[in-house]
Amino acid sequence: MSDVQEYRIGVGDALQINVWRNQELSLAVPVRPDGKISMPLVGDIVAAGLTPIELSDNIVVGLKSYVRNPQVTVIVANPSSSDFQRRVRITGAVQAPQSIPFREGMTVLDLVLMAGGANDFASSNNAKLYRKINGEMKIFPVRLDDLLNKGDVSTNYPLQPSDIVTVPERVF
């Protein structure tokens, strides 16, 4: 269930753009709310949604008519947009629904415990883990009651950034 993706620049990220041997074109710049950055000679250029390498390649194209053989490096100095990209969430019939920063090694059980466990109305064995893999949403069953009360760890999946666990209410 591993699908680690290359970092994509987001709105609010602080970028350091270095144009080799052209200090006057090198700059530190934030990604604006419209997803663009502004650069001398190039003007406005889309940054959000691109990897640093993709942005670097686009800047090179924009500079080619002004600079001979431009070499551009894009460094994400402050990936502030990643806070939301790298969160895990638990919703539904839990004591305290949560959206928390992802930490390496987290499991479904860790997330459920941080949410205070299932509430009295939970249909715990019908919980689900939602994970986007290759652009497609996959759903994995989570047998939360079995995990918490019987020690059955078969659905205690390791979490990944952007995972969502939902615990439905039971029908009365």
Side-chain angles (χ1 to χ4, degrees), residues 38-169:
S38 296
M39 278 197 67
L41 302 179
V42 177
D44 287 353
I45 187 167
V46 173
L50 301 178
T51 66
I53 291 170
E54 291 169 341
L55 177 56
S56 174
D57 292 345
N58 291 351
I59 293 170
V60 166
V61 169
L63 287 175
K64 274 193 173 173
S65 55
Y66 304 101
V67 178
R68 186 184 325 163
N69 195 22
Q71 295 182 22
V72 176
T73 305
V74 174
I75 299 167
V76 180
N78 182 359
S80 65
S81 71
S82 71
D83 179 48
F84 280 101
Q85 295 172 15
R86 296 190 48 84
R87 290 181 90 73
V88 290
R89 296 157 176 94
I90 184 165
T91 64
V94 291
Q95 298 296 338
Q98 302 275 314
S99 174
I100 61 170
F102 169 79
R103 289 194 296 268
E104 205 64 46
M106 287 179 97
T107 65
V108 168
L109 180 59
D110 294 321
L111 189 57
V112 170
L113 293 175
M114 287 180 195
N119 68 25
D120 294 337
F121 307 105
S123 178
S124 299
N125 271 345
N126 292 317
K128 305 251 184 291
L129 167 66
Y130 294 85
R131 175 174 294 160
K132 192 172 270 193
I133 300 175
N134 297 326
E136 185 179 332
M137 189 61 73
K138 301 283 185 183
I139 302 171
F140 302 91
V142 177
R143 301 201 45 86
L144 201 50
D145 187 52
D146 293 352
L147 176 62
L148 292 169
N149 298 314
K150 298 179 182 173
D152 179 358
V153 295
S154 62
T155 61
N156 187 26
Y157 305 110
L159 294 177
Q160 293 181 9
S162 297
D163 279 356
I164 301 169
V165 174
T166 61
V167 182
E169 288 188 352

